[in-house]
Amino acid sequence: MSVSPLPCVLVAGGAGYIGSHMARMLLESGFHAVVVDNLTTGHEQALCETTFRQGDIGDRAFMREVLREFEPQCVMHFAAASLVGESVAEPAKYWRNNFVQTLNLLDAMLECGVRQFIFSSTAAVYGNPVEVPITEQHPQLPINPYGNSKLAVERALQDYDRAYGLRSITLRYFNAAGAHPDGTLGERHEPETHLIPLVLQVASGRRPEIARFGSDFPTRDGSCIRDYIHVQDLCTAHLLALRKLADGAPTNVYNLGNGNGHSVNEVIAAAREVTGHPIPVRDAPRRPGDPPVLVADARRARDELAWVPAYPDIATIIAHAWLWEQKLAGQRR
Ligand code: UDP
């Protein structure tokens, strides 16, 4: 039986990058957030004043216990492996972590009568775009096991709604970036592979240079273009989705991006402005599986969820990430 009088949301993967921002936002918005995380990639220090249970989201007996104890109205699912390159080398890890474990979580939810679910999906479900900006109707033909494992869950969710009445909102993130504006929470992957944190590690002196993966793409300056979306804006969309599901909305899918593309060169230039550091660049070969341009058409989220990103500007996204990087770099000194 739930002990809190507040509406409860279970945050699977709440010690990770996006999940930890979400848990904090839920708390600040008057919810009781219960975090479940096995801490394999999440960090205990990222937990805010929430209830925490350590364990696997795919452990049905454990999840049943947590769900029965807290009776959440909804489960938000951030716990996943999310490195494209690793997924190509180790597809079994991706199918197990992202697909099998999620099915176990869904089954535990059904056993406990929890029937609202918000799923973190990805632009990787679209594969190589045939049309940009990318709408939700764009063909879904992933080109790596990461995208395949996420799309498989999306398909399962449609079937689970039809058969079991489990309603879900799937949010397809473009490039999650930035950090909490107060600089106390941010991205910490080991190893780090993402562009913005790596560029900022150069600025803080933790790396000598940034490798630019490809400079001969068919784009305005030859480097890849991505749609960077602030982590707080992703979380706001989850809050709106939570309310939508609570109001009885049917299962649906939304892209989350700003609709503005920034090239690798533009990101580096913006980071030079923000940090005042020259940030040396080394040219490196293209990374396998990188499409030249990924930009969202997120009008559906704007129209149906009334979602308006608060930090669409790349300089602000980088400035918040820079506050966080300075904190991390300071801890290492
Ligand atoms: N990138 C780069 N150097 C790096 C890391 C990333 O040039 O050290 C490029 C990458 O090829 C892609 C963009 O930056 O075009 C964003 O990559 P990231 O890994 O941050 O996100 P992804 O688009 O893979 O989700």
Side-chain angles (χ1 to χ4, degrees):
M1 197 62 183
S2 177
V3 286
S4 168
L6 301 173
C8 180
V9 176
L10 190 141
V11 185
Y17 171 39
I18 305 169
S20 61
H21 286 76
M22 189 71 239
R24 194 192 294 186
M25 189 179 284
L26 284 165
L27 211 66
E28 289 167 356
S29 308
F31 290 89
H32 176 209
V34 174
V35 167
V36 172
D37 202 299
N38 62 10
L39 298 181
T40 53
T41 55
H43 303 277
E44 213 160 351
Q45 306 92 299
L47 294 167
C48 53
E49 298 294 306
T50 53
T51 307
F52 173 56
R53 292 288 183 272
Q54 185 170 352
D56 287 326
I57 56 132
D59 178 341
R60 264 165 79 166
F62 162 71
M63 284 312 302
R64 270 199 307 268
E65 213 171 281
V66 179
L67 291 164
R68 290 206 172 116
E69 184 180 359
F70 296 103
E71 299 179 343
Q73 68 176 69
C74 179
V75 172
M76 294 183 176
H77 179 24
F78 300 90
S82 61
L83 298 177
V84 167
E86 183 187 61
S87 80
V88 176
E90 288 180 66
K93 174 174 173 181
Y94 280 70
W95 280 102
R96 193 166 301 110
N97 275 354
N98 295 0
F99 182 66
V100 177
Q101 303 278 72
T102 302
L103 289 193
N104 287 346
L105 168 63
L106 293 175
D107 291 345
M109 285 172 60
L110 290 176
E111 285 166 336
C112 298
V114 180
R115 287 195 163 73
Q116 293 177 33
F117 189 65
I118 300 180
F119 178 56
S120 303
S121 190
T122 165
V125 300
Y126 298 115
N128 280 322
V130 291
E131 219 170 57
V132 180
I134 299 170
T135 67
E136 290 82 358
Q137 290 85 23
H138 183 285
Q140 287 126 54
L141 299 165
I143 53 169
N144 51 61
Y146 171 58
N148 279 327
S149 67
K150 288 284 184 176
L151 184 59
V153 173
E154 288 195 19
R155 300 242 157 98
L157 286 171
Q158 287 171 359
D159 293 341
Y160 274 48
D161 185 357
R162 268 188 296 271
Y164 311 127
L166 189 148
R167 285 180 299 117
S168 64
I169 289 187
T170 288
L171 300 172
R172 292 182 183 145
Y173 307 163
F174 281 63
N175 284 61
H180 198 282
D182 73 5
T184 58
L185 207 52
E187 188 165 6
R188 187 144 60 100
H189 301 112
E190 277 142 26
E192 188 53 76
T193 62
H194 295 106
L195 180 66
I196 291 178
L198 287 175
V199 164
L200 295 177
Q201 286 182 14
V202 179
S204 70
R206 288 210 274 158
R207 283 173 192 270
E209 60 192 10
I210 183 75
R212 175 174 47 211
F213 296 149
S215 51
D216 58 352
F217 285 97
T219 59
R220 53 184 173 257
D221 63 19
S223 65
C224 274
I225 292 177
R226 294 287 179 272
D227 185 337
Y228 296 89
I229 176 79
H230 199 292
V231 60
Q232 291 288 95
D233 288 329
L234 292 179
C235 293
T236 310
H238 283 72
L239 266 191
L240 295 166
L242 180 66
R243 298 207 176 106
K244 189 104 181 153
L245 280 178
D247 288 345
T251 290
N252 211 339
V253 177
Y254 297 94
N255 282 340
L256 296 182
N258 283 306
N260 297 319
H262 295 283
S263 71
V264 171
N265 291 337
E266 288 162 358
V267 168
I268 295 168
R272 286 180 180 136
E273 281 285 314
V274 168
T275 63
H277 189 282
I279 310 182
V281 176
R282 171 174 56 85
D283 271 314
R286 289 183 181 193
R287 196 170 58 175
D290 260 345
V293 182
L294 285 175
V295 175
D297 180 332
R299 273 178 298 183
R300 186 189 281 179
R302 286 171 188 265
D303 293 348
E304 294 183 17
L305 298 178
W307 179 60
V308 182
Y311 307 108
D313 175 42
I314 191 72
T316 307
I317 292 174
I318 292 174
H320 291 163
W322 178 228
L323 283 178
W324 173 244
E325 168 54 24
Q326 286 171 292
K327 183 173 171 194
L328 285 184
Q331 283 169 0
R332 264 154 230 242
R333 273 190 203 112

